[in-house]
């Protein structure tokens, strides 16, 4: 991999008292139609925590502070298609916020019970790393996708010091 990855973030908003996570249906752009967490590209000079708080507000109208955000991992996405630029995604957990989630042009947010996450409607990789984060692990992973960008073909995952490596991951 010679091209620099695009730096991105995901804001994982978790309501532990009600055992739910904020997700949303992507309304446009890359991943349109999929269920995702709020997030997006980092702006110049912006930290992943700052970007997660900003993206959360832009996409859902929820407000939070950087002091209420914490890093819970990093994912590097590679693609079999050499024309696609890799993504480096910082995972940011937010457990304090204000406001009510509202739809934006980018995302239609909804609260999802932790035991009813719709993995079949999400990116193929979410089923691999998200359960680890929701159980409290810090996750680092390199995830390879097939040529069309639909299915995971390889995973090198470290979740709380437990390493796992897979290739030719079976599609769901």
């Amino acid at each position: 991999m010679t091209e620099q990855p695009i730096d991105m973030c995901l804001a994982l908003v978790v309501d532990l008292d009600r055992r739910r996570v904020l997700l949303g249906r992507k309304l446009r752009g890359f991943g349109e139609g999929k269920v995702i967490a709020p997030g997006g590209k980092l702006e110049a000079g912006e930290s992943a925590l700052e970007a997660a708080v900003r993206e959360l507000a832009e996409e859902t109208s929820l407000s939070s502070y950087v002091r209420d955000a914490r890093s819970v991992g990093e994912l590097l996405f590679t693609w079999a298609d050499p024309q696609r630029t890799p993504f480096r995604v910082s995972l940011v957990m937010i457990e304090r916020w204000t406001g009510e989630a509202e739809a934006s042009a980018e995302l239609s947010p909804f609260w999802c019970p932790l035991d009813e996450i719709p993995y079949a409607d999400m990116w193929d990789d979410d089923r691999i790393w998200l359960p680890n984060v929701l159980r409290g692990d810090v996750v680092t992973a390199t995830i390879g996708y097939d040529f069309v960008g639909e299915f995971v073909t390889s995973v090198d995952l470290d979740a709380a010091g437990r390493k796992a490596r897979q290739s030719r991951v079976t599609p769901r």
Side-chain angles (χ1 to χ4, degrees):
M1 176 176 54
T2 58
E3 192 168 4
Q4 284 290 79
I6 297 170
D7 286 317
M8 304 181 78
C9 68
L10 284 179
L12 301 166
V13 182
V14 179
D15 181 345
L16 294 174
D17 293 336
R18 295 184 181 169
R19 300 209 25 83
R20 62 186 187 162
V21 62
L22 185 70
L23 299 173
R25 179 99 31 208
K26 181 88 157 98
L27 299 175
R28 66 178 186 195
F30 186 71
E32 180 178 344
K34 292 193 180 290
V35 171
I36 63 169
K41 294 179 185 173
L42 275 63
E43 294 180 354
E46 188 176 46
S47 73
L49 299 179
E50 292 166 335
V53 168
R54 176 185 51 77
E55 288 284 350
L56 179 65
E58 289 175 3
E59 294 184 356
T60 71
S61 297
L62 293 179
S63 296
S64 190
Y65 296 98
V66 171
R67 69 175 179 255
D68 294 322
R70 63 185 167 89
S71 176
V72 293
E74 185 175 277
L75 309 174
L76 178 64
F77 292 99
T78 61
W79 314 95
D81 180 352
Q83 300 302 310
R84 286 198 173 178
T85 303
F87 295 165
R88 181 175 32 238
V89 179
S90 296
L91 305 174
V92 178
M93 181 79 69
I94 297 174
E95 296 175 282
R96 291 181 54 177
W97 64 91
T98 59
E100 295 295 323
E102 297 176 13
S104 66
E106 190 84 21
L107 191 71
S108 179
F110 61 91
W111 289 101
C112 181
L114 292 176
D115 59 355
E116 296 177 22
I117 294 174
Y119 289 110
D121 295 334
M122 300 172 79
W123 284 101
D124 194 33
D125 61 271
D126 292 338
R127 66 187 167 84
I128 297 166
W129 63 266
L130 185 55
N132 292 287
V133 170
L134 293 175
R135 118 174 112 243
D137 295 344
V138 173
V139 171
T140 304
T142 299
I143 299 171
Y145 265 88
D146 65 6
F147 195 84
V148 295
E150 183 159 348
F151 296 110
V152 170
T153 58
S154 64
V155 176
D156 188 359
L157 175 92
D158 184 334
R162 296 183 310 273
K163 294 186 185 294
R165 177 170 281 172
Q166 291 179 281
S167 58
R168 286 178 260 135
V169 178
T170 304
R172 49 186 147 106

